[in-house]
Amino acid sequence: MDNCIFCKIIAGEIPNYTLYEDDFTLAFLDITPRAKGHTLVIPKVHAENLLELDESHVKNLLLAVKKAQEKLDKVLKPDGYNIGWNHGEAGGQVVPHLHIHIMPRYVGDGGTNMHAIVNNPGSESVEENFKLF
Ligand code: 5GP
Ligand code: ZN
């Protein structure tokens, strides 16, 4: 997509620090890391989010996460990870090209976990919510 910064990275128009690449995916170091080794994994086709990504690319994307994580694990030897993505403005997504963050974690790094992202469960019970599906 013309104005997409990550499509430009894929096209080689913007340099990046590549950790892993194959025909379908690219994994590269985040330019503003929140942790040592903070990595982004993206599909080479433009899709704003997982719902828009063709199913045929999903397996390749997760495989690339594993490949990049294996490299990070070998080199940086972190104590743990948070891995995930922001979806939509409400979810904090800034770049509208699906990207999976790999955040290496180190004992004593002062970070927290996924549960700290939000605490807004609503007033209905889980049982009530389940009836909606
Ligand atoms: P989001 O908030 O959309 O999930 O995260 C976007 C991420 O992309 C941020 O962590 C930001 O640092 C990273 N980023 C934005 N522009 C660039 C860039 O040009 N190169 C790289 N390597 N990372 C970028
Ligand atoms: Zn794009």
Side-chain angles (χ1 to χ4, degrees):
M1 215 177 114
D2 279 357
N3 263 335
C4 173
I5 193 162
F6 286 175
C7 281
K8 285 182 179 161
I9 285 177
I10 291 161
E13 292 165 23
I14 297 174
N16 75 91
Y17 298 103
T18 300
L19 284 197
Y20 173 79
E21 181 171 16
D22 59 32
D23 290 346
F24 313 100
T25 63
L26 182 68
F28 55 100
L29 294 177
D30 195 297
I31 206 68
T32 317
R34 300 290 302 201
K36 184 175 181 176
H38 183 174
T39 296
L40 303 175
V41 186
I42 63 176
K44 285 190 173 176
V45 291
H46 181 87
E48 190 160 330
N49 55 55
L50 186 64
L51 298 178
E52 290 186 7
L53 183 68
D54 191 272
E55 275 191 16
S56 61
H57 292 282
V58 174
K59 194 172 162 188
N60 293 321
L61 188 60
L62 193 58
L63 185 62
V65 171
K66 182 170 166 60
K67 296 283 187 189
Q69 192 184 1
E70 282 170 354
K71 203 160 198 178
L72 289 163
D73 212 67
K74 195 172 168 194
V75 176
L76 298 179
K77 300 180 175 47
D79 302 305
Y81 296 87
N82 296 110
I83 300 174
W85 58 96
N86 300 321
H87 179 138
E89 204 180 332
Q93 183 176 9
V94 173
V95 177
H97 180 131
L98 173 62
H99 47 285
I100 300 181
H101 293 261
I102 303 179
M103 304 253 195
R105 296 296 305 275
Y106 306 89
V107 170
D109 65 13
T112 179
N113 62 20
M114 294 269 183
H115 301 286
I117 291 173
V118 69
N119 186 12
N120 179 35
S123 54
E124 301 88 2
S125 67
V126 174
E127 189 184 9
E128 282 170 319
N129 283 330
F130 181 65
K131 286 181 188 149
L132 299 172
F133 292 92

